Amino acid sequence: MKLRLHFVVDPMGWFCISMVLFVWLYNTLLIPKLVLLPHYDEGHIPGALVVCYYLASLFCVSALLRASTADPGRLAQDPKIPLGEREQWELCNKCNMMRPKRSHHCSRCGHCVRRMDHHCPWINNCVGEDNHWLFLQLCFYTQVLSLYTLVLDFCQYYYFQPLVTVDQELFTVRHELALLRVSCFMGLIMFGGMSGLFYSQITGILADTTTIEKMSHSSDGIGARRSWQQSLAEVFGTRWKVLWLLPFRSRRPLRLDYASNSHV
């Protein structure tokens, strides 16, 4: 599958994703400089903690950038409808294009998206069939990074040994308490918000229902009963569970060997 970049021209969306990037950049630069690296230099913590923090940060921002620029499943201007699926297509009353069932027209983006879940301003993109897996990774790694940050902020005052070689005249050292309080506040907001969002996304996937279908109380998206492995494998495009956590790959539609009335 070729990599197709997708950009939404929306000033509000640009502002929202800039705020998310600011939070990520703040913690990625501050926590290692203020907590991890000084304690590692003095031998208080192992290097594995530093590496794990940077890996969590890398996976988080990678999932964010890919989810915000990946094509969510935008329908072509003149889609070719397979003969065996003509009954599964319908006419959009907004753009007058034929689309598969469970597709939705996004008024913010101005086009229809296959199996659209919702439009997320925090990634300035729709969440649809082709980038839903990246959005799930973003929610997961944001929780991991936020929780990791909160634990480090707590340990800085209640567990780690005092630093002896730090320069007390540094701006970050003189304002350490204020900086860590801001970090804790952002960590709590991000962890709480992403935990609720991740839970709602997982329950929707397991129930084979999108967020739009939940809000409209539609039962059209309910497919055949299947296991959680099958449901998640369909979203991530692979049965290999270890690949579900890797944002550095491409997704291919997975055709599972069971009957379902949903179009994926």
Side-chain angles (χ1 to χ4, degrees):
M1 177 178 293
K2 296 181 179 180
L3 180 62
R4 295 184 298 174
L5 297 181
H6 178 78
F7 296 97
V8 179
V9 181
D10 181 10
M12 180 57 67
W14 293 341
F15 172 78
C16 291
I17 195 173
S18 298
M19 293 295 296
V20 175
L21 286 172
F22 170 77
V23 173
W24 170 82
L25 189 63
Y26 182 93
N27 288 285
T28 301
L29 295 180
L30 175 70
I31 298 302
K33 182 177 180 60
L34 194 60
V35 181
L36 286 175
L37 296 179
H39 286 283
Y40 170 72
D41 291 338
E42 295 191 9
H44 300 162
I45 60 175
L49 290 180
V50 181
V51 174
C52 289
Y53 189 87
Y54 278 117
L55 283 177
S57 178
L58 175 63
F59 284 178
C60 182
V61 73
S62 298
L64 172 63
L65 295 178
R66 290 206 61 192
S68 62
T69 58
D71 187 345
R74 178 178 179 176
L75 289 172
Q77 292 294 329
D78 187 18
K80 297 181 180 179
I81 306 175
L83 294 177
E85 298 182 7
R86 290 187 179 275
E87 295 183 356
Q88 300 296 325
W89 288 60
E90 58 189 8
L91 181 67
C92 175
N93 58 5
K94 295 182 180 180
C95 59
N96 295 321
M97 289 179 51
M98 294 300 296
R99 66 185 186 185
K101 288 185 177 180
R102 305 191 70 183
S103 300
H104 187 79
H105 186 91
C106 178
S107 58
R108 188 71 64 89
C109 299
H111 52 73
C112 289
V113 177
R114 295 191 310 273
R115 191 162 179 167
M116 177 177 169
D117 187 84
H118 68 286
H119 182 92
C120 179
W122 299 105
I123 65 172
N124 192 32
N125 201 359
C126 290
V127 177
E129 179 181 286
D130 291 344
N131 70 339
H132 200 168
W133 65 286
L134 291 166
F135 186 74
L136 288 176
Q137 288 184 353
L138 173 61
C139 294
F140 175 76
Y141 284 119
T142 301
Q143 292 178 84
V144 172
L145 186 61
S146 299
L147 183 60
Y148 203 164
T149 300
L150 289 172
V151 171
L152 290 175
D153 290 341
F154 176 84
C155 291
Q156 176 71 356
Y157 278 99
Y158 299 102
Y159 181 75
F160 289 152
Q161 301 178 26
L163 297 170
V164 296
T165 61
V166 66
D167 186 359
Q168 298 295 330
E169 296 300 321
L170 291 175
F171 176 85
T172 53
V173 176
R174 290 188 288 111
H175 299 85
E176 176 181 321
L177 180 59
L179 293 173
L180 289 182
R181 283 178 175 175
V182 173
S183 176
C184 286
F185 175 77
M186 293 188 298
L188 288 173
I189 294 297
M190 297 299 289
F191 181 76
M194 283 300 182
S195 296
L197 182 58
F198 185 73
Y199 173 79
S200 66
Q201 288 291 306
I202 292 297
T203 55
I205 291 174
L206 298 182
D208 194 20
T209 307
T210 66
T211 300
I212 292 177
E213 291 166 351
K214 289 180 182 179
M215 296 176 63
S216 62
H217 304 287
S218 172
S219 60
D220 294 339
I222 305 300
R225 295 185 64 85
R226 50 191 175 177
S227 65
W228 66 270
Q229 295 97 327
Q230 291 174 324
S231 299
L232 291 176
E234 186 178 25
V235 173
F236 285 97
T238 177
R239 295 180 177 87
W240 294 91
K241 296 181 178 61
V242 66
L243 296 180
W244 294 356
L245 299 176
L246 296 180
F248 314 107
R249 65 179 180 88
S250 60
R251 175 191 180 274
R252 295 180 180 273
L254 184 65
R255 302 296 179 181
L256 300 176
D257 300 328
Y258 56 85
S260 175
N261 62 4
S262 63
H263 175 88
V264 178

